[in-house]
């Protein structure tokens, strides 16, 4: 089987400069084609930059925007993942990643988990997506597309793999922080991401493609370090930290089969068990929910009753 | 917990002749730090449409490190170092500042602030324009005035130089409020404001700041013989460690005491941090209209169209 050539566009978008960034995407697609790529991956919000705040509404595009169609046309015989601020019909704004194939926007994944803690403030400006599914691709395998923080939640790579994905793609704008000499590459963020990705690739026995941006928005530096990880959990390719570049990586899709035959973790997954237990947990949680709006000294009657029954169960 | 560090090393070195004391939990990868700070300087200037920068060079380690970082980011020919001594500034400060200028090969200017300051406070028997209230002014008032006089000079010089003023304050002094508001803390941007003093020393050693500057006792040099550590009552490694565990690592007072920090010191530092909160924030604006800057009108500082050219 001919290897699949992946092009990782580890780039530095210009904050809020939509037209410039679209032009850069066109140039990169051209370079990727010249380099023989079958799949081109751009970073999270590569078309707009990350720290948008109130600019988000000003650079938003609908999924059927002709500018995206233009990129899809330019992607031609390749598959491309690009990321942008998506405005829905009801005017919610999403951080989205689109799969462009055969001249059209084939699929849009809306970021599910919007970090709003520490240096992040995404929920203030964006709506969270609520669909998670793998997508059929012209590459002959299903792809699982996720955006940055989505991968800090275990269920995301797991669900995508169960839904048939053989290549998991994470597009990121991960700000570098937690500088310390104790970390593998001097950067806590990079060390954590590397752990996650190797683990996910191995546990889902899938390829993992991670494209992280570089450059700076305001005060934060994005650290790059894009990677391709084999289904065995081994890194096939690691891009340099902080440097922009278009990197080509060849993968053998046959490795997924070999790995899954030898290490049939995915065969042995128990989604029905997981679902059953999740249902139970959810039911318990709902019943046990403490009414946070009430005073601590005045818990609701319902909560009291539940707590009492729980105590009795424990005693009994 | 603390280890002695040689130049550029995060690890222990022979105690004798060590350049400075570096608490091990504060050790950073200086290559990564340098990379980020240099990128930050380039990016800030580029986004604002400037190719040049200037700093107030005091002869101390903070401004020396920033001079080295700016020179690395944009080339020494695009950096102007302004020395602004007052008549009581130590000769050592001026000498060390010159050392940096020579080593980098950047442009420099000296503007004495003595007449500006004395013109206001008076000089000996000659009364100043500040009148009676200025005559017996405390060292603190005089020190703050000097810091602000330097800011005025620096911002004025930024116009003919066509550059941005780069900040030189570190995280330790910002957190305890050991800065003059609209004085030494005034700047267009600050590359080292998230580095503790111990980390400033670590990066300074790695980047080649002259040893004499790294070794000497830090001082605001606002009056003869003043040193930061005497004034604060802490050594920098002690203070940096406490701030690191208290703020970056969110340790409670009880946990800090168990770790061996002194209870009174914890209380004192907490108070210094709380009391100086106002110095670290943009002045508040009363909320009146539908959209208020900094509250619900939130834009990046730099966006398309915001550069001066």
């Amino acid at each position: 089987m001919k290897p699949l050539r992946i092009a990782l566009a580890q780039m530095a978008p210009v904050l809020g400069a939509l037209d410039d960034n679209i032009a850069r995407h066109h140039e990169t697609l051209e370079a990727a084609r010249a380099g023989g790529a079958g799949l081109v991956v751009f970073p999270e919000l590569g078309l707009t930059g990350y720290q948008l705040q109130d600019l988000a509404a000003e650079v938003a595009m609908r999924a059927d925007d002709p500018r995206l169609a233009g990129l899809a046309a330019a992607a031609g015989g390749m598959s491309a993942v690009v990321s942008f601020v998506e405005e829905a019909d009801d005017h919610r704004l999403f951080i989205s990643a689109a799969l462009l194939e055969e001249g059209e926007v084939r699929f849009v994944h809306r970021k599910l988990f919007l970090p709003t803690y520490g240096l992040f403030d995404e929920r203030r400006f964006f709506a969270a997506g609520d669909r998670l599914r793998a997508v059929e691709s012209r590459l002959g395998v299903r792809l699982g597309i996720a955006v940055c923080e989505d991968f800090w939640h275990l269920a995301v790579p797991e669900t995508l793999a169960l839904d048939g994905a053989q290549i998991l793609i994470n597009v990121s704008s991960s700000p570098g922080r937690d500088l310390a000499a104790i970390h593998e590459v001097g950067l806590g963020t990079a060390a954590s991401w590397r752990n996650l990705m190797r683990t996910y690739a191995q546990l889902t026995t899938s390829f993992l493609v991670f494209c992280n941006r570089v450059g700076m928005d305001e005060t934060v530096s994005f650290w790059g370090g894009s990677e391709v990880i084999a289904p065995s959990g081994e890194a096939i390719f690691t891009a340099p930290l902080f440097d922009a570049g278009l990197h080509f990586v060849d993968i053998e899709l046959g490795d997924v089969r070999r790995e899954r035959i030898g290490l049939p973790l995915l065969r042995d997954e128990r989604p029905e068990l997981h679902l059953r237990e999740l249902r139970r947990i959810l039911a318990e949680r709902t019943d046990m929910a403490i009414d946070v709006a009430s005073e601590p000294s005045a818990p609701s009657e319902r909560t009291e009753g539940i707590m009492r029954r729980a105590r009795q169960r424990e005693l009994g | 917990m603390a280890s002695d560090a040689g130049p550029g090393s995060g690890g222990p070195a022979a105690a004798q002749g060590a350049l400075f004391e570096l608490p091990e939990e504060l050790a950073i990868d200086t290559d990564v730090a340098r990379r980020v700070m240099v990128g930050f300087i380039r990016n800030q200037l580029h986004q604002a449409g400037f190719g040049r920068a200037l700093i107030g060079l005091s002869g101390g380690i903070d401004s020396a490190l920033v001079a080295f970082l700016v020179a690395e980011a944009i080339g020494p020919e695009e950096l102007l170092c302004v020395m602004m001594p007052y008549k009581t500034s130590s000769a050592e400060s001026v000498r060390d500042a010159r050392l940096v200028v020579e080593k980098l090969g950047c442009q420099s200017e000296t503007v004495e602030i003595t007449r500006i300051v004395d013109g206001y406070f008076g000089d000996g028997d000659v009364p100043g324009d500040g009148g009676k209230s200025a005559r017996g002014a405390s060292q603190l008032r005089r020190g703050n005035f000097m810091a602000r006089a330097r800011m005025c000079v620096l911002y004025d010089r930024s116009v003919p130089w066509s550059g941005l003023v780069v900040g030189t304050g570190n995280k330790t002094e910002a957190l305890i409020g050991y800065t003059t508001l609209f004085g030494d803390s005034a700047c267009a941007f600050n590359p080292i404001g998230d580095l503790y003093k111990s980390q400033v020393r670590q990066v300074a050693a790695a980047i080649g700041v002259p040893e004499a500057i790294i070794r000497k006792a830090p001082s605001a040099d606002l009056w003869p013989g003043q040193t930061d550590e005497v004034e604060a009552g802490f050594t920098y490694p002690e203070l940096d460690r406490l701030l690191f565990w208290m703020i970056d690592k969110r340790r409670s007072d009880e946990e800090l005491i168990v770790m061996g920090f002194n209870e009174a010191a914890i209380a004192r530092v907490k108070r210094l941090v709380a009391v100086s909160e106002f110095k670290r924030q943009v002045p508040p604006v009363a909320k009146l209209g539908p959209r208020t800057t900094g509250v619900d009108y939130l834009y990046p500082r730099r966006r398309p169209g915001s550069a001066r050219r």
Side-chain angles (χ1 to χ4, degrees):
Chain A
M1 203 159 78
K2 200 172 152 248
L4 168 63
R5 179 161 292 180
I6 300 171
L8 295 167
Q10 183 166 297
M11 62 189 299
V14 182
L15 187 60
L18 187 57
D19 293 342
D20 292 355
N21 293 323
I22 290 173
R24 302 260 307 280
H25 276 56
H26 275 286
E27 286 161 21
T28 306
L29 284 171
E30 214 169 287
R33 183 193 313 286
L39 168 65
V40 195
V41 185
F42 291 89
E44 176 185 17
L45 294 180
L47 286 167
T48 62
Y50 177 74
Q51 298 273 49
L52 291 161
Q53 300 184 292
D54 284 348
L55 272 178
E58 295 170 33
V59 297
M61 291 188 282
R62 291 169 48 101
D64 61 2
D65 192 288
R67 289 168 292 187
L68 282 177
L71 284 170
M78 303 182 290
S79 303
V81 178
V82 300
S83 175
F84 63 108
V85 175
E86 182 195 358
E87 181 163 347
D89 290 342
D90 59 6
H91 309 298
R92 283 182 298 166
L93 303 179
F94 295 95
I95 298 174
S96 290
L99 173 66
L100 312 178
E101 278 191 349
E102 283 155 4
E104 59 180 30
V105 177
R106 168 147 299 181
F107 174 81
V108 174
H109 170 77
R110 294 169 168 174
K111 190 173 188 177
L112 299 167
F113 294 93
L114 301 176
T116 305
Y117 56 78
L119 75 168
F120 301 107
D121 202 12
E122 292 183 13
R123 198 66 179 85
R124 179 181 171 90
F125 303 100
F126 297 102
D130 41 28
R131 272 193 203 180
L132 177 61
R133 55 194 61 175
V135 55
E136 207 67 57
S137 148
R138 58 170 275 283
L139 299 169
V141 293
R142 286 166 80 85
L143 308 177
I145 298 172
V147 180
C148 203
E149 185 88 356
D150 289 346
F151 262 32
W152 284 75
H153 295 270
L154 279 169
V156 172
E158 184 196 17
T159 306
L160 289 172
L162 286 170
D163 202 23
Q166 299 194 16
I167 304 176
L168 304 178
I169 299 171
N170 183 288
V171 300
S172 282
S173 283
S174 170
R177 54 202 187 279
D178 190 13
L179 235 65
I182 51 167
H183 300 303
E184 179 196 353
V185 286
L187 204 57
T189 341
S192 309
W193 267 103
R194 288 180 181 196
N195 282 336
L196 293 186
M197 291 188 293
R198 281 152 184 70
T199 308
Y200 292 160
Q202 177 154 53
L203 296 185
T204 61
T205 46
S206 305
F207 278 104
L208 199 151
V209 178
F210 172 67
C211 184
N212 185 29
R213 66 164 286 189
V214 290
M216 301 195 85
D217 281 356
E218 305 287 285
T219 57
V220 296
S221 306
F222 301 92
W223 54 276
S226 300
E227 291 199 306
V228 176
I229 322 274
S232 62
E234 275 170 72
I236 301 172
F237 172 79
T238 302
L241 263 56
F242 300 112
D243 285 324
L246 180 63
H247 301 284
F248 294 93
V249 188
D250 289 345
I251 64 169
E252 293 283 348
L253 284 175
D255 286 349
V256 175
R257 180 172 189 274
R258 273 185 287 280
E259 192 67 29
R260 289 184 181 185
I261 297 286
L263 188 69
L265 300 178
L266 210 56
R267 179 196 72 190
D268 296 345
E269 282 296 330
R270 302 281 306 276
E272 78 296 340
L273 169 76
H274 197 182
L275 184 62
R276 199 161 59 234
E277 297 302 334
L278 279 177
R279 284 216 170 99
R280 174 186 59 78
I281 291 165
L282 273 178
E284 286 181 0
R285 264 202 194 181
T286 318
D287 286 348
M288 293 292 281
I290 307 285
D291 182 2
V292 289
S294 69
E295 294 292 318
S297 57
S300 75
E301 210 172 289
R302 192 169 131 270
T303 309
E304 280 278 84
I306 292 161
M307 299 300 279
R308 197 166 48 243
R309 282 196 295 281
R311 277 195 297 273
Q312 280 164 357
R313 263 206 306 276
E314 247 168 58
L315 292 171
Chain B
M1 292 293 276
S3 65
D4 293 310
S9 100
Q16 208 171 22
L19 259 183
F20 56 93
E21 187 190 339
L22 177 66
E24 61 185 345
E25 62 269 55
L26 292 175
I28 53 173
D29 184 319
T30 52
D31 291 342
V32 175
R34 202 162 146 182
R35 179 86 210 248
V36 170
M37 290 187 286
V38 165
F40 173 77
I41 293 165
R42 265 190 216 124
N43 195 262
Q44 288 291 322
L45 289 169
H46 175 77
Q47 286 186 330
F50 284 82
R52 291 173 140 188
L54 71 165
I55 64 166
L57 191 69
S58 66
I61 191 171
D62 297 329
S63 57
L65 172 58
V66 173
F68 273 73
L69 290 168
V70 173
E72 187 171 323
I74 58 173
E77 64 283 359
E78 307 298 342
L79 167 65
L80 172 66
C81 288
V82 188
M83 279 98 91
M84 296 168 283
Y86 178 68
K87 65 188 176 195
T88 60
S89 294
S90 80
E92 195 187 40
S93 296
V94 178
R95 184 200 69 201
D96 290 341
R98 287 197 200 292
L99 209 58
V100 171
V101 170
E102 278 162 29
K103 195 154 178 190
L104 290 176
C106 58
Q107 294 272 329
S108 71
E109 282 183 55
T110 302
V111 180
E112 283 230 22
I113 59 163
T114 305
R115 280 170 54 191
I116 301 173
V117 175
D118 291 353
Y120 177 77
F121 289 109
D123 179 17
D125 295 334
V126 184
D129 297 334
K132 222 199 264 173
S133 153
R135 265 203 110 162
S138 63
Q139 280 187 325
L140 183 70
R141 279 176 66 192
R142 297 177 61 88
N144 281 334
F145 194 95
M146 285 178 214
R148 293 186 180 116
R150 292 188 174 112
M151 179 275 290
C152 285
V153 172
L154 215 45
Y155 270 81
D156 177 62
R157 285 305 212 258
S158 74
V159 179
W161 181 251
S162 250
L164 290 182
V165 176
V166 185
T168 61
N170 64 61
K171 185 173 184 171
T172 311
E173 64 185 21
L175 283 175
I176 62 166
Y178 195 60
T179 62
T180 298
L181 192 58
F182 312 121
D184 57 310
S185 66
C187 62
F189 59 87
N190 180 348
I192 66 163
D194 201 21
L195 288 182
Y196 288 109
K197 189 76 169 189
S198 306
Q199 296 169 326
V200 166
R201 288 167 169 160
Q202 199 197 349
V203 182
I207 205 171
V209 169
E211 273 197 33
I213 296 174
I214 299 172
R215 273 184 202 283
K216 71 179 175 186
S219 167
D221 200 13
L222 295 174
W223 53 84
Q226 180 192 26
T227 70
D228 296 2
E229 292 178 329
V230 167
E231 228 189 330
F234 296 101
T235 70
Y236 272 115
E238 284 166 0
L239 184 55
D240 289 349
R241 280 193 69 227
L242 178 51
L243 288 167
F244 175 77
W245 287 108
M246 183 185 281
I247 288 166
D248 294 88
K249 296 295 179 185
R250 301 171 196 263
R251 292 295 191 273
S252 68
D253 291 4
E254 293 72 25
E255 289 168 323
L256 291 169
I257 290 166
V258 171
M259 288 176 71
F261 289 103
N262 174 281
E263 197 172 350
I266 296 168
R268 203 170 136 237
V269 169
K270 273 185 87 166
R271 188 172 147 66
L272 286 172
V273 172
V275 156
S276 60
E277 195 60 57
F278 75 96
K279 292 192 184 181
R280 294 184 293 271
Q281 296 191 15
V282 177
V285 171
K287 171 81 181 152
L288 296 168
R291 271 185 107 187
T292 309
T293 54
V295 179
D296 43 19
Y297 173 86
L298 298 173
Y299 278 88
R301 283 173 74 94
R302 295 298 173 188
R303 61 178 191 265
S306 71
R308 70 168 182 160
R309 58 172 180 248

